[in-house]
Amino acid sequence: MLKLLIKNGTVITANETYKADIGVTDEHISHIVEPGGLDNLAAEKVIDAEGKYIMPGFIEPHMHVKAPFSGTIDILDFYSASKCGAFGGVTTFMDFSTTTQDTPVMQAVAERIEEMSEAALDYSVHPKFIKASDHLREDIKKLVADGVPTFKMFTIYPGVMIPDEDILKIMEIAKEEGALCGFHAESNDIAQFLKNKLLSGGKTDWEYFNEAKPNICEAEAVNRILSFAELLDAPVYFYHLSTKEAVELVRQAKKRGVKVQAETCGHYLVFTRNENKGKDGINYLMSPPLRSQEDQDALWEGINDGTLSLVTSDNEIFTRKIKEKDLETDPVTGEKIPNFATPVNGIPGLEERFGLLMRGVNAGKISLNKLVEVGSTNPAKVFGCYPEKGCLAVGSDADIIIVDPEKVMSLTQKNMHYTEDGSLDYDIYKDMESKGWPVYTIRRGEILVEDGKFYGKDHTGKFLKCHLN
């Protein structure tokens, strides 16, 4: 007997669109046949997907949950993040180890895996490196063997920023041991220099956050890491690219044969730096900052021509109250005085990512197949869990979303699921809606979301041992 039969839907993969019925046995896809081909089999549950799209579950490989930031922490845990993700079509997510000078990478990875075990989604971890230890090769060998072969390093932020020489050491050994180094690429020196210059000139409003990290701040660091990759013939990955210059640097590097892959994020595809102007500009602070319309257009072009392989959320959510906690108060008005250098920064996106991409589909910017490619298939391939995840194929995990192309979802905060108590006190996507929204989210054959209700249970997610080809 089938555990689940999905009938009459239109299958959308990264490469194909076709009508099919899908059968699920235990946790895996067991049948993909022409419509009606499974009518002779009994099933515990039958879903009629006539008029709907069947897609592989989304994979979120870039988010920050329970992440310490400047003396505070974001508002989600991994179970509540599972709920948000599931409503947005996510069946697998990945986070980063909280490596510090006092918590070495191996310990931090183990602690993060334990924290993530409360999830209702399947999960994995990216080890964060902040230095090259004396036992670096042994650490990397074990991380690869343990199924966490995709690393992250920062070229900015004292405390987590890693020296260039250590980057080279790690990149060389990672290449030899079958790991992938990923980078938050911004120039610390440019950012510090411009921040201090702006603050000393009394320029503290929110819009100056963008001027403290202009396009060249990202481009310099991307170019530097690409030079390292070319020198060592080592693969590299870039998180959250935001500028036209970075897109072109990656495009040209690919043409030269550099093994580079890169992502952008949903918010860079829908917002520009104009959002940072005015009293609510604090709500739109994230790193890298928002850019111009020209940059946004270059990102869409990079997605379409394959320069950018993924679109992620970089989800990290703080209330406005948390963001404002260290700001000074005007003694006359009682209002908080803007200072772009003070607040923690980060925004929602885990639940909205599907809708932001669907808006791109409906605007003719990308195809449905490209949506699946950048939201599901490429994340699985890049981070080492394909074809277990990221596709609809016999033998793959039954991670499936069923999308109603006529369902209009307003991305307003009241429709999202970040808090039960309404404590998230701003609403950055309130003017946006998505025509096309998941009505079923299925993880390994288990229905997590059905018609607006969440059925996921904590501690039911599975740790993924990832391996790079």
Side-chain angles (χ1 to χ4, degrees):
M1 176 182 285
L2 295 175
K3 179 177 183 179
L4 177 64
L5 171 59
I6 304 172
K7 300 181 58 174
N8 304 318
T10 299
V11 172
I12 311 289
T13 72
N15 301 307
E16 297 180 286
T17 301
Y18 57 92
K19 294 279 287 186
D21 290 354
I22 294 179
V24 174
T25 304
D26 298 323
E27 297 185 341
H28 301 98
I29 295 173
S30 55
H31 302 77
I32 301 178
V33 302
E34 293 184 357
L38 298 177
D39 287 352
N40 61 329
L41 296 181
E44 295 177 19
K45 183 175 179 64
V46 178
I47 298 174
D48 187 351
E50 181 68 45
K52 297 180 176 62
Y53 303 141
I54 306 172
M55 300 177 178
F58 263 37
I59 298 170
E60 178 53 80
H62 182 186
M63 66 178 199
H64 304 273
V65 172
K66 296 179 76 170
F69 190 156
S70 189
T72 188
I73 195 164
D74 58 284
I75 66 174
L76 295 180
D77 58 32
F78 288 104
Y79 177 65
S80 59
S82 297
K83 183 177 181 179
C84 299
F87 275 107
V90 177
T91 53
T92 299
F93 53 28
M94 302 175 182
D95 208 307
F96 304 88
S97 68
T98 308
T99 310
T100 67
Q101 296 295 337
D102 298 324
T103 309
V105 63
M106 303 303 293
Q107 177 185 340
V109 167
E111 291 176 353
R112 198 52 149 178
I113 291 173
E114 176 60 29
E115 289 176 336
M116 294 190 78
S117 68
E118 68 180 353
L121 305 185
D122 290 347
Y123 58 93
S124 188
V125 176
H126 308 299
K128 181 172 70 180
F129 279 83
I130 63 174
K131 62 182 177 181
S133 69
D134 294 336
H135 38 82
L136 180 62
R137 186 175 296 275
E138 290 78 8
D139 286 350
I140 291 178
K141 275 180 176 290
K142 187 171 190 324
L143 291 169
V144 171
D146 289 347
V148 285
T150 51
F151 307 158
K152 186 177 186 182
M153 289 175 272
F154 287 77
T155 64
I156 193 171
Y157 307 134
V160 297
M161 182 176 67
I162 185 168
D164 284 352
E165 184 178 4
D166 283 10
I167 290 175
L168 288 161
K169 291 177 181 177
I170 294 168
M171 285 177 66
E172 183 173 52
I173 296 176
K175 171 194 171 183
E176 294 168 355
E177 299 297 339
L180 173 67
C181 293
F183 294 90
H184 177 136
E186 294 181 287
S187 168
N188 188 72
D189 289 340
I190 291 174
Q192 290 283 9
F193 170 75
L194 291 177
K195 180 185 75 172
N196 292 335
K197 184 176 180 179
L198 289 163
L199 293 176
S200 65
K203 296 179 177 180
T204 64
D205 286 347
W206 307 124
E207 63 194 86
Y208 293 110
F209 182 80
N210 311 77
E211 293 191 22
K213 292 183 174 183
N215 285 29
I216 193 65
C217 183
E218 179 175 90
E220 186 280 330
V222 168
N223 187 61
R224 182 165 21 117
I225 297 302
L226 286 171
S227 298
F228 295 171
E230 201 158 8
L231 172 69
L232 298 173
D233 190 28
V236 292
Y237 182 84
F238 289 107
Y239 291 96
H240 52 44
L241 295 189
S242 63
T243 64
K244 62 184 185 297
E245 291 87 352
V247 172
E248 187 59 25
L249 283 165
V250 171
R251 181 180 288 120
Q252 295 306 317
K254 282 177 175 282
K255 290 179 180 178
R256 297 195 306 274
V258 179
K259 300 179 182 72
V260 55
Q261 298 176 90
E263 67 174 53
T264 190
C265 301
H267 43 272
Y268 300 121
L269 298 174
V270 297
F271 295 130
T272 69
R273 60 186 299 159
N274 289 333
E275 303 292 345
N276 289 112
K277 296 178 180 178
K279 66 177 183 179
D280 292 328
I282 187 175
N283 297 336
Y284 297 85
L285 298 184
M286 80 289 293
S287 294
L290 295 173
R291 307 295 185 180
S292 69
Q293 185 62 54
E294 186 180 1
D295 292 300
Q296 187 180 112
D297 294 342
L299 296 175
W300 282 112
E301 182 182 353
I303 291 169
N304 270 308
D305 70 14
T307 301
L308 299 175
S309 301
L310 281 71
V311 176
T312 70
S313 73
D314 194 9
N315 182 92
E316 186 167 15
I317 310 173
F318 303 95
T319 64
R320 183 158 180 164
K321 182 178 180 180
I322 292 173
K323 291 185 176 189
E324 291 181 339
K325 70 181 182 66
D326 294 325
L327 295 175
E328 295 182 2
T329 302
D330 188 307
V332 177
T333 65
E335 295 182 353
K336 295 292 185 177
I337 300 172
N339 184 333
F340 73 84
T342 299
V344 293
N345 52 90
I347 61 170
L350 175 62
E351 188 169 352
E352 296 91 347
R353 180 172 60 132
F354 181 91
L356 300 181
L357 285 170
M358 199 68 198
R359 285 169 55 86
V361 171
N362 291 324
K365 295 178 183 292
I366 57 170
S367 67
L368 282 168
N369 304 99
K370 180 63 76 170
L371 176 146
V372 171
E373 180 184 346
V374 300
S376 179
T377 303
N378 281 351
K381 289 181 175 179
V382 169
F383 294 108
C385 57
Y386 182 91
E388 181 180 2
K389 306 290 187 184
C391 63
L392 298 176
V394 172
S396 295
D397 284 357
D399 293 351
I400 300 167
I401 56 176
I402 301 175
V403 175
D404 183 346
E406 299 303 318
K407 182 177 178 63
V408 177
M409 175 61 70
S410 172
L411 302 182
T412 185
Q413 191 55 46
K414 69 178 183 179
N415 290 334
M416 301 294 103
H417 298 84
Y418 293 109
T419 60
E420 299 292 345
D421 58 4
S423 61
L424 185 54
D425 45 4
Y426 56 93
D427 201 356
I428 63 174
Y429 300 106
K430 64 181 182 299
D431 297 325
M432 300 183 185
E433 62 182 25
S434 169
K435 184 181 179 185
W437 191 255
V439 290
Y440 285 89
T441 298
I442 301 160
R443 185 226 61 214
R444 286 184 283 112
E446 179 181 349
I447 294 174
L448 299 183
V449 172
E450 180 177 6
D451 294 331
K453 295 183 180 179
F454 181 66
Y455 297 97
K457 305 297 183 184
D458 61 278
H459 292 87
T460 58
K462 179 180 71 174
F463 170 67
L464 290 172
K465 289 190 70 171
C466 299
H467 299 281
L468 303 179
N469 295 326

